[in-house]
Amino acid sequence: MSDLTISRLTPEADARAELPPARPGRRGTWARRRRSAAALALVLPAAFFYVTFVLRPILFTVQYSLYDWNGVTEATWVGAENYTRLFSDPEMFGPILNALQLIVYFSFVPVALGLIAAAIIRKFATSRLAIIGRTVLFLPQVIPLVAAGIMWTWIMATDGVLNQFLRLIGLGSVTRAWLGDFDTALPGVGVIGAWVSLGLCLVLLLAGMSKIDPALYEAARLDGAGPIREFWSVTLPSLRQELAVCLTVTVIAALASFDIIYISTQGGPGNSTLVPGLEIYYLAFFQREVGQASALAVALMVLVLIVVIPLQRLIRGREQ
């Protein structure tokens, strides 16, 4: 400190400078402790249920995956043998490949169709037709998946509505048991999944579009942009967060699918629609191979993380 600065200090300032920093009072300390205790009391019940019903079962699943166990008798340690079988046995690896193929139907198709439908509905958002369109497209989200699977099984049956319509328009040679054919069973299940996921994607994307500043569209029109250029330059970049949510939810639904496939095909014909969730169910409760089922469950959890985390980073981009 320079001599000039020292000379400007008053005796009162010197006295204040020499005083030790003020300590918080006892009342303030007790208030902070009460707030911390209240916050801890609110968090503890949720943390207890999360540890008990999420983390604890995951740890037990990892433990069981290292044993050969039928769920009743004494378990035998086998190490990584169950995981080795996942990649060496086609019957174990096949369901994983089927689940990866279902991502196209359960995720990419409904997101693409949801973008198109949301862009169209947004043009006449306040009209009665838009309300009807949103309601009809969102209806599959309200219908239980079991009921949806049964309904689509009837539609795609040999004498179902789909084949009757094809015969009506002169395409009787194309008709078949769509969910009973090796070539069309997996795409048929994918159509059901796309139909169910479309409504959720539509609502999320419509909500995202409603937050876009109209001035951006006006600026694009002044630059001579048409509807398609507006969509690619304004709408799509503004929906990164919504697209990330849609893709995350639908990809997880594809990889963890169970109920629709169990109701419609039960993994058949053959193993053409068998997915990891259904295979885990068969291994654990019918073949009594709890260790192998646990290994497949752990592999499925890792697969979901491997697919979803990079996908979120790719869609959202670098946070500003």
Side-chain angles (χ1 to χ4, degrees), residues 27-317:
R27 183 176 300 177
T29 303
W30 280 108
R32 283 195 298 272
R33 289 180 179 177
R34 283 197 299 269
R35 288 195 296 269
S36 300
L40 186 62
L42 293 173
V43 171
L44 277 178
F48 171 77
F49 282 102
Y50 184 78
V51 170
T52 303
F53 298 106
V54 177
L55 294 183
R56 184 170 173 268
I58 290 176
L59 293 177
F60 277 130
T61 302
V62 174
Q63 178 185 358
Y64 295 154
S65 68
L66 303 176
Y67 290 85
D68 180 11
W69 186 40
N70 61 6
V72 179
T73 60
E74 185 177 354
T76 304
W77 171 268
V78 294
E81 182 178 332
N82 290 328
Y83 293 96
T84 304
R85 185 185 171 192
L86 290 179
F87 301 98
S88 60
D89 189 348
E91 292 186 1
M92 294 289 107
F93 192 66
I96 298 177
L97 294 179
N98 291 337
L100 292 175
Q101 293 181 54
L102 286 179
I103 292 178
V104 177
Y105 300 98
F106 279 58
S107 183
F108 297 155
V109 171
V111 169
L113 294 178
L115 275 172
I116 297 172
I120 295 173
I121 292 176
R122 179 184 166 275
K123 296 296 182 181
F124 47 95
T126 58
S127 66
R128 184 175 298 178
L129 183 60
I131 298 175
I132 295 174
R134 288 197 301 267
T135 304
V136 171
L137 292 176
F138 187 74
L139 190 60
Q141 284 291 315
V142 182
I143 299 176
L145 293 179
V146 174
I150 295 173
M151 180 185 70
W152 277 96
T153 301
W154 292 343
I155 293 174
M156 296 186 181
T158 306
D159 296 327
V161 176
L162 178 58
N163 284 335
Q164 291 181 22
F165 175 75
L166 292 175
R167 294 189 188 100
L168 182 64
I169 62 176
L171 296 176
S173 60
V174 183
T175 61
R176 64 187 69 190
W178 297 95
L179 295 176
D181 190 285
F182 282 89
D183 296 328
T184 59
L186 190 63
V189 171
V191 169
I192 303 175
W195 178 76
V196 170
S197 302
L198 177 59
L200 176 63
C201 296
L202 172 66
V203 171
L204 290 174
L205 295 172
L206 271 176
M209 290 181 183
S210 65
K211 297 185 297 182
I212 301 175
D213 189 356
L216 296 176
Y217 291 103
E218 295 178 4
R221 294 190 195 101
L222 291 175
D223 290 338
I228 297 178
R229 183 63 182 274
E230 284 182 12
F231 177 80
W232 287 104
S233 301
V234 179
T235 305
L236 201 57
S238 303
L239 295 176
R240 281 189 173 183
Q241 299 294 331
E242 288 76 15
L243 285 173
V245 173
C246 289
L247 287 173
T248 300
V249 172
T250 52
V251 166
I252 293 175
L255 295 176
S257 55
F258 174 83
D259 35 21
I260 291 178
I261 298 176
Y262 181 76
I263 294 299
S264 58
T265 65
Q266 295 188 354
N271 292 332
S272 58
T273 60
L274 193 63
V275 291
L278 197 58
E279 179 68 4
I280 292 169
Y281 172 71
Y282 287 149
L283 286 172
F285 296 101
F286 288 88
Q287 301 178 25
R288 310 296 297 177
E289 297 183 21
V290 177
Q292 188 63 59
S294 300
L296 184 56
V298 173
L300 178 61
M301 179 182 65
V302 174
L303 178 63
V304 169
L305 296 177
I306 290 175
V307 174
V308 168
I309 292 177
L311 189 62
Q312 283 190 319
R313 293 182 178 178
L314 178 64
I315 295 297
R316 290 182 178 178

